[in-house]
Amino acid sequence: MDYLDAIILGAIQGFTEFLPVSSSGHLELGKAILGDTSVPEESLLFTVILHFATALSTIVVFRKDIIEIVSGLFKFQWNEETQFITKIVLSMIPAVVIGLLFEKELESFFGGSIAFVGAMLIVTAVLLWFADLAKNTGKPVTFKDSIIIGVAQAIAMLPGISRSGATISTSVLLGNDKSKAARFSFLMVVPLIFGKIAKDLLSGDITTQSTNFGTLSVGFIAAFICGLIACTWMISLVKKSKLRYFSIYCVIVGIIAIVTSLYI
């Protein structure tokens, strides 16, 4: 992997982690286009680095919210912050359970099946279209909602299903306020990302031998900067009901991926 490839893949991860177009799906498409020839260990390390960059960009964008939540949590009261943390924990359960019990099955969906990615992008498009038609409300995310949104997040572990698109759309379709849905969607993934990073690091599958730390660095920087831009932009787009444009985009890319797979 050269520096240009690292920048491109970093930018793809940074933008698509927050924009509702599936980061995992676009990384699979990006690797297929660029012809990723790195060994699995190097590819896994690069993926870990990119996910850490986008998690860090989320923390930067929501730094004030996170400080308030942590401060409220240490008051040891059943306050708004403690309830929010509880909802985040509830939302994590479906993804954790499915990730642990069906890890091998999930991995089988990755590795070049761009037809499947294309089909899932079209599913994402349908979700976004209906969510965009929903009316904005002032309703907050409830405990029950957090579990249902968590199920949507677990399903979004499939490449092509946008995590942010699935969780925000599900939340909005449940009647939740669009800005609150976006905030919850972006914050709920941070613990999962760090958990996945820790799991990968402790698995022993990652090696730093023959690793080009230069490409890792530029990939990290690209993902972090693009993540900052995309996260801020997405919050504004959700409020203004602009998700239908991403719906159209997902349909177009999905169809192209399916058609392309017939000739590869």
mmCIF file of all heavy atoms in Angstrom, residues 36-68:
data_model
loop_
_atom_site.group_PDB
_atom_site.id
_atom_site.type_symbol
_atom_site.label_atom_id
_atom_site.label_comp_id
_atom_site.label_asym_id
_atom_site.label_seq_id
_atom_site.Cartn_x
_atom_site.Cartn_y
_atom_site.Cartn_z
ATOM 1 N N ASP A 36 -6.151 -4.082 -3.283
ATOM 2 C CA ASP A 36 -5.428 -4.230 -2.019
ATOM 3 C C ASP A 36 -4.712 -5.580 -1.976
ATOM 4 O O ASP A 36 -5.343 -6.628 -1.965
ATOM 5 C CB ASP A 36 -6.413 -4.134 -0.848
ATOM 6 C CG ASP A 36 -5.708 -4.208 0.498
ATOM 7 O OD1 ASP A 36 -4.500 -3.930 0.537
ATOM 8 O OD2 ASP A 36 -6.383 -4.543 1.490
ATOM 9 N N THR A 37 -3.377 -5.540 -1.947
ATOM 10 C CA THR A 37 -2.586 -6.770 -1.940
ATOM 11 C C THR A 37 -1.865 -6.988 -0.617
ATOM 12 O O THR A 37 -1.014 -7.855 -0.504
ATOM 13 C CB THR A 37 -1.531 -6.730 -3.061
ATOM 14 O OG1 THR A 37 -0.709 -5.550 -2.905
ATOM 15 C CG2 THR A 37 -2.195 -6.683 -4.433
ATOM 16 N N SER A 38 -2.196 -6.176 0.396
ATOM 17 C CA SER A 38 -1.534 -6.322 1.686
ATOM 18 C C SER A 38 -1.965 -7.623 2.350
ATOM 19 O O SER A 38 -3.070 -8.109 2.122
ATOM 20 C CB SER A 38 -1.877 -5.144 2.597
ATOM 21 O OG SER A 38 -3.267 -5.053 2.795
ATOM 22 N N VAL A 39 -1.067 -8.191 3.188
ATOM 23 C CA VAL A 39 -1.419 -9.414 3.899
ATOM 24 C C VAL A 39 -2.465 -9.091 4.944
ATOM 25 O O VAL A 39 -2.604 -7.945 5.370
ATOM 26 C CB VAL A 39 -0.164 -10.034 4.565
ATOM 27 C CG1 VAL A 39 0.843 -10.415 3.515
ATOM 28 C CG2 VAL A 39 0.456 -9.096 5.585
ATOM 29 N N PRO A 40 -3.259 -10.073 5.396
ATOM 30 C CA PRO A 40 -4.341 -9.818 6.338
ATOM 31 C C PRO A 40 -3.915 -9.050 7.580
ATOM 32 O O PRO A 40 -4.638 -8.179 8.045
ATOM 33 C CB PRO A 40 -4.825 -11.237 6.685
ATOM 34 C CG PRO A 40 -4.503 -12.043 5.477
ATOM 35 C CD PRO A 40 -3.215 -11.480 4.981
ATOM 36 N N GLU A 41 -2.731 -9.363 8.145
ATOM 37 C CA GLU A 41 -2.308 -8.697 9.370
ATOM 38 C C GLU A 41 -2.114 -7.207 9.148
ATOM 39 O O GLU A 41 -2.497 -6.382 9.965
ATOM 40 C CB GLU A 41 -1.005 -9.322 9.893
ATOM 41 C CG GLU A 41 -1.174 -10.735 10.445
ATOM 42 C CD GLU A 41 -1.154 -11.779 9.331
ATOM 43 O OE1 GLU A 41 -1.008 -11.381 8.157
ATOM 44 O OE2 GLU A 41 -1.283 -12.966 9.643
ATOM 45 N N GLU A 42 -1.494 -6.845 8.006
ATOM 46 C CA GLU A 42 -1.272 -5.431 7.713
ATOM 47 C C GLU A 42 -2.591 -4.729 7.453
ATOM 48 O O GLU A 42 -2.804 -3.594 7.875
ATOM 49 C CB GLU A 42 -0.353 -5.302 6.491
ATOM 50 C CG GLU A 42 1.076 -5.758 6.754
ATOM 51 C CD GLU A 42 1.909 -5.713 5.496
ATOM 52 O OE1 GLU A 42 1.332 -5.930 4.398
ATOM 53 O OE2 GLU A 42 3.117 -5.474 5.584
ATOM 54 N N SER A 43 -3.492 -5.405 6.734
ATOM 55 C CA SER A 43 -4.789 -4.833 6.432
ATOM 56 C C SER A 43 -5.580 -4.597 7.719
ATOM 57 O O SER A 43 -6.243 -3.572 7.871
ATOM 58 C CB SER A 43 -5.560 -5.768 5.495
ATOM 59 O OG SER A 43 -6.818 -5.214 5.159
ATOM 60 N N LEU A 44 -5.513 -5.547 8.658
ATOM 61 C CA LEU A 44 -6.220 -5.421 9.926
ATOM 62 C C LEU A 44 -5.668 -4.265 10.741
ATOM 63 O O LEU A 44 -6.434 -3.487 11.311
ATOM 64 C CB LEU A 44 -6.113 -6.720 10.726
ATOM 65 C CG LEU A 44 -6.792 -6.736 12.104
ATOM 66 C CD1 LEU A 44 -8.282 -6.427 11.980
ATOM 67 C CD2 LEU A 44 -6.590 -8.093 12.780
ATOM 68 N N LEU A 45 -4.349 -4.121 10.781
ATOM 69 C CA LEU A 45 -3.733 -3.021 11.519
ATOM 70 C C LEU A 45 -4.156 -1.683 10.939
ATOM 71 O O LEU A 45 -4.480 -0.744 11.676
ATOM 72 C CB LEU A 45 -2.207 -3.149 11.473
ATOM 73 C CG LEU A 45 -1.414 -2.011 12.149
ATOM 74 C CD1 LEU A 45 -1.777 -1.902 13.625
ATOM 75 C CD2 LEU A 45 0.092 -2.231 11.980
ATOM 76 N N PHE A 46 -4.172 -1.588 9.617
ATOM 77 C CA PHE A 46 -4.577 -0.345 8.962
ATOM 78 C C PHE A 46 -6.032 -0.019 9.275
ATOM 79 O O PHE A 46 -6.378 1.134 9.550
ATOM 80 C CB PHE A 46 -4.382 -0.476 7.445
ATOM 81 C CG PHE A 46 -4.591 0.810 6.690
ATOM 82 C CD1 PHE A 46 -3.697 1.857 6.803
ATOM 83 C CD2 PHE A 46 -5.696 0.972 5.865
ATOM 84 C CE1 PHE A 46 -3.891 3.057 6.111
ATOM 85 C CE2 PHE A 46 -5.900 2.152 5.173
ATOM 86 C CZ PHE A 46 -4.991 3.201 5.290
ATOM 87 N N THR A 47 -6.889 -1.038 9.270
ATOM 88 C CA THR A 47 -8.304 -0.843 9.597
ATOM 89 C C THR A 47 -8.473 -0.351 11.033
ATOM 90 O O THR A 47 -9.290 0.535 11.307
ATOM 91 C CB THR A 47 -9.086 -2.157 9.407
ATOM 92 O OG1 THR A 47 -8.969 -2.581 8.045
ATOM 93 C CG2 THR A 47 -10.562 -1.967 9.733
ATOM 94 N N VAL A 48 -7.704 -0.932 11.955
ATOM 95 C CA VAL A 48 -7.749 -0.514 13.361
ATOM 96 C C VAL A 48 -7.356 0.954 13.499
ATOM 97 O O VAL A 48 -7.995 1.723 14.221
ATOM 98 C CB VAL A 48 -6.830 -1.412 14.227
ATOM 99 C CG1 VAL A 48 -6.641 -0.801 15.617
ATOM 100 C CG2 VAL A 48 -7.416 -2.806 14.355
ATOM 101 N N ILE A 49 -6.307 1.340 12.794
ATOM 102 C CA ILE A 49 -5.824 2.723 12.844
ATOM 103 C C ILE A 49 -6.887 3.685 12.327
ATOM 104 O O ILE A 49 -7.142 4.749 12.918
ATOM 105 C CB ILE A 49 -4.533 2.881 12.009
ATOM 106 C CG1 ILE A 49 -3.373 2.114 12.655
ATOM 107 C CG2 ILE A 49 -4.167 4.354 11.851
ATOM 108 C CD1 ILE A 49 -2.965 2.628 14.016
ATOM 109 N N LEU A 50 -7.552 3.319 11.246
ATOM 110 C CA LEU A 50 -8.584 4.187 10.665
ATOM 111 C C LEU A 50 -9.778 4.320 11.606
ATOM 112 O O LEU A 50 -10.340 5.417 11.762
ATOM 113 C CB LEU A 50 -9.052 3.637 9.311
ATOM 114 C CG LEU A 50 -8.024 3.586 8.185
ATOM 115 C CD1 LEU A 50 -8.711 3.220 6.868
ATOM 116 C CD2 LEU A 50 -7.278 4.899 8.039
ATOM 117 N N HIS A 51 -10.174 3.218 12.241
ATOM 118 C CA HIS A 51 -11.296 3.273 13.168
ATOM 119 C C HIS A 51 -10.952 4.121 14.406
ATOM 120 O O HIS A 51 -11.813 4.832 14.936
ATOM 121 C CB HIS A 51 -11.713 1.863 13.587
ATOM 122 C CG HIS A 51 -12.604 1.187 12.599
ATOM 123 N ND1 HIS A 51 -12.135 0.313 11.653
ATOM 124 C CD2 HIS A 51 -13.941 1.271 12.389
ATOM 125 C CE1 HIS A 51 -13.138 -0.121 10.906
ATOM 126 N NE2 HIS A 51 -14.247 0.441 11.337
ATOM 127 N N PHE A 52 -9.724 4.028 14.858
ATOM 128 C CA PHE A 52 -9.300 4.856 15.987
ATOM 129 C C PHE A 52 -9.370 6.333 15.614
ATOM 130 O O PHE A 52 -9.796 7.173 16.420
ATOM 131 C CB PHE A 52 -7.876 4.495 16.411
ATOM 132 C CG PHE A 52 -7.347 5.353 17.532
ATOM 133 C CD1 PHE A 52 -7.845 5.215 18.826
ATOM 134 C CD2 PHE A 52 -6.374 6.297 17.290
ATOM 135 C CE1 PHE A 52 -7.376 6.014 19.864
ATOM 136 C CE2 PHE A 52 -5.895 7.105 18.314
ATOM 137 C CZ PHE A 52 -6.391 6.952 19.606
ATOM 138 N N ALA A 53 -8.986 6.665 14.385
ATOM 139 C CA ALA A 53 -9.014 8.055 13.922
ATOM 140 C C ALA A 53 -10.435 8.610 13.912
ATOM 141 O O ALA A 53 -10.679 9.741 14.358
ATOM 142 C CB ALA A 53 -8.400 8.149 12.525
ATOM 143 N N THR A 54 -11.398 7.813 13.421
ATOM 144 C CA THR A 54 -12.776 8.299 13.360
ATOM 145 C C THR A 54 -13.403 8.379 14.759
ATOM 146 O O THR A 54 -14.213 9.259 15.029
ATOM 147 C CB THR A 54 -13.638 7.398 12.460
ATOM 148 O OG1 THR A 54 -13.479 6.027 12.836
ATOM 149 C CG2 THR A 54 -13.226 7.544 11.011
ATOM 150 N N ALA A 55 -13.012 7.449 15.646
ATOM 151 C CA ALA A 55 -13.507 7.522 17.027
ATOM 152 C C ALA A 55 -12.997 8.790 17.689
ATOM 153 O O ALA A 55 -13.732 9.482 18.415
ATOM 154 C CB ALA A 55 -13.053 6.297 17.811
ATOM 155 N N LEU A 56 -11.744 9.125 17.433
ATOM 156 C CA LEU A 56 -11.143 10.328 18.004
ATOM 157 C C LEU A 56 -11.826 11.586 17.466
ATOM 158 O O LEU A 56 -12.049 12.551 18.210
ATOM 159 C CB LEU A 56 -9.647 10.363 17.684
ATOM 160 C CG LEU A 56 -8.811 11.431 18.403
ATOM 161 C CD1 LEU A 56 -8.903 11.256 19.915
ATOM 162 C CD2 LEU A 56 -7.358 11.370 17.945
ATOM 163 N N SER A 57 -12.170 11.580 16.189
ATOM 164 C CA SER A 57 -12.851 12.744 15.607
ATOM 165 C C SER A 57 -14.235 12.927 16.223
ATOM 166 O O SER A 57 -14.690 14.051 16.424
ATOM 167 C CB SER A 57 -12.959 12.594 14.086
ATOM 168 O OG SER A 57 -13.783 11.506 13.728
ATOM 169 N N THR A 58 -14.914 11.820 16.550
ATOM 170 C CA THR A 58 -16.214 11.894 17.228
ATOM 171 C C THR A 58 -16.066 12.541 18.597
ATOM 172 O O THR A 58 -16.873 13.393 18.993
ATOM 173 C CB THR A 58 -16.826 10.492 17.403
ATOM 174 O OG1 THR A 58 -16.860 9.823 16.149
ATOM 175 C CG2 THR A 58 -18.236 10.581 17.972
ATOM 176 N N ILE A 59 -15.034 12.134 19.323
ATOM 177 C CA ILE A 59 -14.780 12.687 20.655
ATOM 178 C C ILE A 59 -14.515 14.178 20.581
ATOM 179 O O ILE A 59 -14.991 14.952 21.419
ATOM 180 C CB ILE A 59 -13.589 11.957 21.318
ATOM 181 C CG1 ILE A 59 -13.971 10.502 21.623
ATOM 182 C CG2 ILE A 59 -13.158 12.666 22.608
ATOM 183 C CD1 ILE A 59 -12.824 9.653 22.109
ATOM 184 N N VAL A 60 -13.777 14.602 19.560
ATOM 185 C CA VAL A 60 -13.464 16.029 19.398
ATOM 186 C C VAL A 60 -14.735 16.829 19.113
ATOM 187 O O VAL A 60 -14.984 17.878 19.714
ATOM 188 C CB VAL A 60 -12.441 16.240 18.266
ATOM 189 C CG1 VAL A 60 -12.283 17.727 17.953
ATOM 190 C CG2 VAL A 60 -11.085 15.647 18.663
ATOM 191 N N VAL A 61 -15.575 16.335 18.195
ATOM 192 C CA VAL A 61 -16.807 17.048 17.825
ATOM 193 C C VAL A 61 -17.772 17.135 19.008
ATOM 194 O O VAL A 61 -18.392 18.173 19.246
ATOM 195 C CB VAL A 61 -17.489 16.360 16.624
ATOM 196 C CG1 VAL A 61 -18.867 16.979 16.366
ATOM 197 C CG2 VAL A 61 -16.628 16.474 15.379
ATOM 198 N N PHE A 62 -17.891 16.046 19.769
ATOM 199 C CA PHE A 62 -18.837 15.995 20.886
ATOM 200 C C PHE A 62 -18.141 16.137 22.238
ATOM 201 O O PHE A 62 -18.643 15.643 23.246
ATOM 202 C CB PHE A 62 -19.619 14.676 20.855
ATOM 203 C CG PHE A 62 -20.618 14.576 19.733
ATOM 204 C CD1 PHE A 62 -20.296 13.889 18.571
ATOM 205 C CD2 PHE A 62 -21.861 15.178 19.825
ATOM 206 C CE1 PHE A 62 -21.202 13.794 17.528
ATOM 207 C CE2 PHE A 62 -22.781 15.087 18.801
ATOM 208 C CZ PHE A 62 -22.454 14.400 17.643
ATOM 209 N N ARG A 63 -17.009 16.817 22.268
ATOM 210 C CA ARG A 63 -16.218 16.935 23.494
ATOM 211 C C ARG A 63 -17.006 17.565 24.641
ATOM 212 O O ARG A 63 -16.909 17.122 25.794
ATOM 213 C CB ARG A 63 -14.924 17.703 23.236
ATOM 214 C CG ARG A 63 -15.120 19.128 22.698
ATOM 215 C CD ARG A 63 -13.815 19.733 22.228
ATOM 216 N NE ARG A 63 -13.973 21.083 21.718
ATOM 217 C CZ ARG A 63 -14.395 21.368 20.503
ATOM 218 N NH1 ARG A 63 -14.713 20.388 19.673
ATOM 219 N NH2 ARG A 63 -14.514 22.617 20.095
ATOM 220 N N LYS A 64 -17.807 18.597 24.340
ATOM 221 C CA LYS A 64 -18.589 19.254 25.389
ATOM 222 C C LYS A 64 -19.662 18.309 25.939
ATOM 223 O O LYS A 64 -19.874 18.245 27.156
ATOM 224 C CB LYS A 64 -19.232 20.526 24.850
ATOM 225 C CG LYS A 64 -18.233 21.625 24.501
ATOM 226 C CD LYS A 64 -18.935 22.879 24.016
ATOM 227 C CE LYS A 64 -17.936 23.979 23.689
ATOM 228 N NZ LYS A 64 -18.602 25.216 23.178
ATOM 229 N N ASP A 65 -20.321 17.592 25.041
ATOM 230 C CA ASP A 65 -21.340 16.624 25.464
ATOM 231 C C ASP A 65 -20.731 15.532 26.322
ATOM 232 O O ASP A 65 -21.303 15.132 27.350
ATOM 233 C CB ASP A 65 -22.010 15.992 24.237
ATOM 234 C CG ASP A 65 -22.708 17.003 23.360
ATOM 235 O OD1 ASP A 65 -21.997 17.745 22.664
ATOM 236 O OD2 ASP A 65 -23.948 17.036 23.352
ATOM 237 N N ILE A 66 -19.558 15.043 25.899
ATOM 238 C CA ILE A 66 -18.900 13.951 26.624
ATOM 239 C C ILE A 66 -18.465 14.405 28.013
ATOM 240 O O ILE A 66 -18.618 13.667 28.998
ATOM 241 C CB ILE A 66 -17.696 13.426 25.818
ATOM 242 C CG1 ILE A 66 -18.197 12.749 24.537
ATOM 243 C CG2 ILE A 66 -16.871 12.443 26.651
ATOM 244 C CD1 ILE A 66 -17.095 12.326 23.587
ATOM 245 N N ILE A 67 -17.944 15.634 28.100
ATOM 246 C CA ILE A 67 -17.531 16.169 29.408
ATOM 247 C C ILE A 67 -18.733 16.286 30.343
ATOM 248 O O ILE A 67 -18.664 15.929 31.524
ATOM 249 C CB ILE A 67 -16.844 17.544 29.239
ATOM 250 C CG1 ILE A 67 -15.485 17.367 28.541
ATOM 251 C CG2 ILE A 67 -16.644 18.222 30.605
ATOM 252 C CD1 ILE A 67 -14.816 18.671 28.175
ATOM 253 N N GLU A 68 -19.865 16.766 29.814
ATOM 254 C CA GLU A 68 -21.087 16.893 30.619
ATOM 255 C C GLU A 68 -21.588 15.530 31.072
ATOM 256 O O GLU A 68 -22.006 15.356 32.225
ATOM 257 C CB GLU A 68 -22.172 17.606 29.802
ATOM 258 C CG GLU A 68 -21.912 19.090 29.579
ATOM 259 C CD GLU A 68 -23.018 19.729 28.761
ATOM 260 O OE1 GLU A 68 -24.016 19.032 28.444
ATOM 261 O OE2 GLU A 68 -22.900 20.926 28.436
#
